[in-house]
Amino acid sequence: MEYRTGLGWDVHRTEPGRLLILGGVRIDADFGLEGHSDADVLSHAVTDALLGAVALGDIGMHFPDSDPRWKGCDSLVFLRHALQLVGEAGYALVNVDSTVILERPKLKDYRLPIRRKLAETLGLDLDHVSVKFKTAEKVGPVGEGRSAEAQAIVSIVRE
Ligand code: C5P
Ligand code: MG
């Protein structure tokens, strides 16, 4: 069987008055993330991982932030599109592992809803979708609460 992997990373600034959305799930917080779309940093990292696995560039190539169509866009749209490209390249997604790095709020109670949303969006069983959370130990822009980051890795297999 031919396997490939893909890696994704993203960062967004925090901003008061914006929504905080991670993996398509609304998180209760007194700030959100700044961006052209809904700024779902986790979905963006997973999207880049999917695109990377089939060597089809990155999210900005497919969804330029200069395009008004993607203003305020639900980032699950990007995720579904990247999954479709993986399928068109002749591969099926096997699993996703990811990490969100955010100083606060505590996200662990959101783990299951986020995993469910990603699993549903990507057509995976729940036990093939992993979401981890880390603080940045109060160090650097993430640690100071000025930004949030996400990392993702996917495996795909030739169908
Ligand atoms: O970053 P640190 O190692 O201190 O995180 C400890 C645990 O806290 C993580 O394993 C994770 O489960 C949880 N966590 C969380 N929400 C965050 C950051 C970490 O629930 N924003
Ligand atoms: Mg992004």
Side-chain angles (χ1 to χ4, degrees), residues 100-109 111 132-137:
V100 176
I101 309 116
L102 182 66
E103 205 62 20
R104 67 175 185 89
K106 280 288 171 206
L107 294 167
K108 56 184 173 14
D109 292 345
R111 195 185 320 268
K132 310 186 299 299
F133 307 115
K134 296 299 289 181
T135 68
E137 300 288 348

Side-chain angles (χ1 to χ4, degrees), residues 10 12 35-38 43-44 46-48 50-51 56-85:
D10 197 21
H12 282 261
H36 185 69
S37 66
D38 66 2
S43 292
H44 294 181
V46 178
T47 298
D48 260 1
L50 289 167
L51 293 173
L56 283 175
D58 59 39
I59 192 169
M61 209 179 99
H62 295 268
F63 303 98
D65 61 9
S66 52
D67 188 331
R69 271 185 302 169
W70 316 125
K71 186 158 172 53
C73 178
D74 175 356
S75 295
L76 297 182
V77 168
F78 307 155
L79 211 45
R80 287 190 198 100
H81 182 74
L83 180 71
Q84 190 184 326
L85 293 177

